[in-house]
Amino acid sequence: MRLRHAMVCASNQNRSMEAHALLKKHGFDVSSYGTGAHVKLPGPSIREPNVYEFGTPYRRMFDDLKRKDPELYKRNGLLQMLKRNLNVKTAPQRWQENAADGSFDVVFTFEERVFDMVIEDLHNREQNLMKIVLVINLDVKDNHEEAASGARLALDLCQKLEAVDAWEDEIDEIVVRFERQHRRKLIFTICFY
């Protein structure tokens, strides 16, 4: 079955984009989003993050960080991450503003706070489509290694969902098998909107 997938993290930079890139490479119908108020990237210190508006092109962020401190941002992996991102899509998109068309079957989040924000947004939409959507959360630390690992897990789960005729009938079994196989806990819910 062909499903539409959305990968969602806070800033649409690391976890959601790593998963977006991997699923896209494997031929999935996939988009990605962030739920934060702004896009935040690490800066020279915790109190000095780099903050951008959603919709700011990844290329502009790349050029900005390269101009500010190329050695720091190469060393911490941000330049490589932004290079990957700009090869996937133009700019980070905010879930609440860009995912309103309601055409996703599966929404994958990478932290519980983001999961809660997606659920809240879905419940606040006008419910005229009565479309069913599966929202799954897999907690993944926001670093490059964990994002790569989380993307592989997201790919595995999405492959399992696409392999069945009706995920709605088999989701409990799919989740139990996934959790046993990977020793990772998932939270999921089914929403109508």
Side-chain angles (χ1 to χ4, degrees), residues 87-104:
N87 285 318
V88 174
K89 67 181 196 177
T90 304
Q93 295 171 277
R94 190 164 186 256
W95 168 266
Q96 296 89 328
E97 295 157 11
N98 292 284
D101 63 359
S103 57
F104 296 107

Side-chain angles (χ1 to χ4, degrees), residues 114-177:
V114 172
F115 176 81
D116 293 340
M117 291 174 84
V118 167
I119 300 291
E120 181 183 335
D121 179 67
L122 289 171
H123 286 305
N124 288 335
R125 292 181 186 190
E126 287 190 28
Q127 298 192 345
N128 39 0
L129 295 176
M130 285 313 290
K131 181 161 173 26
I132 188 170
V133 62
L134 173 63
V135 185
I136 302 171
N137 183 69
L138 171 68
D139 278 326
V140 174
K141 286 187 183 130
D142 194 3
N143 63 50
H144 301 298
E145 299 76 30
E146 287 290 319
S149 170
R152 288 189 298 274
L153 293 172
L155 173 65
D156 181 56
L157 188 57
C158 292
Q159 288 171 327
K160 287 173 170 45
L161 291 168
E162 292 221 358
V164 297
D165 290 330
W167 65 259
E168 300 91 328
D169 300 333
E170 302 190 41
I171 186 60
D172 292 329
E173 200 174 302
I174 290 170
V175 166
V176 167
R177 281 196 318 259

Side-chain angles (χ1 to χ4, degrees), residues 3 15 71 84 93 103 111 114 169 181 186 191 193:
L3 300 173
R15 296 165 292 178
E71 285 309 308
R84 176 210 56 216
Q93 295 171 277
S103 57
E111 70 179 275
V114 172
D169 300 333
Q181 179 185 354
L186 298 175
C191 295
Y193 63 99

Side-chain angles (χ1 to χ4, degrees), residues 41-56:
L41 292 173
S45 76
I46 285 188
R47 288 184 298 288
E48 301 174 277
N50 291 285
V51 180
Y52 303 95
E53 295 296 320
F54 276 95
T56 302

Side-chain angles (χ1 to χ4, degrees), residues 11-136:
S11 288
N12 198 198
Q13 288 287 345
N14 187 28
R15 296 165 292 178
S16 63
M17 285 301 289
E18 183 75 31
H20 185 163
L22 186 62
L23 267 74
K24 184 178 174 182
K25 184 175 159 187
H26 282 84
F28 283 81
D29 185 350
V30 61
S31 299
S32 62
Y33 303 93
T35 57
H38 297 94
V39 173
K40 289 185 183 174
L41 292 173
S45 76
I46 285 188
R47 288 184 298 288
E48 301 174 277
N50 291 285
V51 180
Y52 303 95
E53 295 296 320
F54 276 95
T56 302
Y58 292 117
R59 167 62 65 194
R60 189 177 311 152
M61 293 178 205
F62 178 88
D63 292 343
D64 184 45
L65 297 184
K66 199 169 181 182
R67 182 184 48 78
K68 285 179 179 175
D69 190 340
E71 285 309 308
L72 170 66
Y73 296 117
K74 186 175 183 179
R75 193 171 54 250
N76 71 10
L78 288 185
L79 293 179
Q80 296 90 313
M81 179 189 77
L82 288 166
K83 204 177 284 187
R84 176 210 56 216
N85 293 356
L86 61 89
N87 285 318
V88 174
K89 67 181 196 177
T90 304
Q93 295 171 277
R94 190 164 186 256
W95 168 266
Q96 296 89 328
E97 295 157 11
N98 292 284
D101 63 359
S103 57
F104 296 107
D105 301 294
V106 179
V107 178
F108 213 105
T109 65
F110 297 96
E111 70 179 275
E112 202 166 336
R113 179 177 57 96
V114 172
F115 176 81
D116 293 340
M117 291 174 84
V118 167
I119 300 291
E120 181 183 335
D121 179 67
L122 289 171
H123 286 305
N124 288 335
R125 292 181 186 190
E126 287 190 28
Q127 298 192 345
N128 39 0
L129 295 176
M130 285 313 290
K131 181 161 173 26
I132 188 170
V133 62
L134 173 63
V135 185
I136 302 171

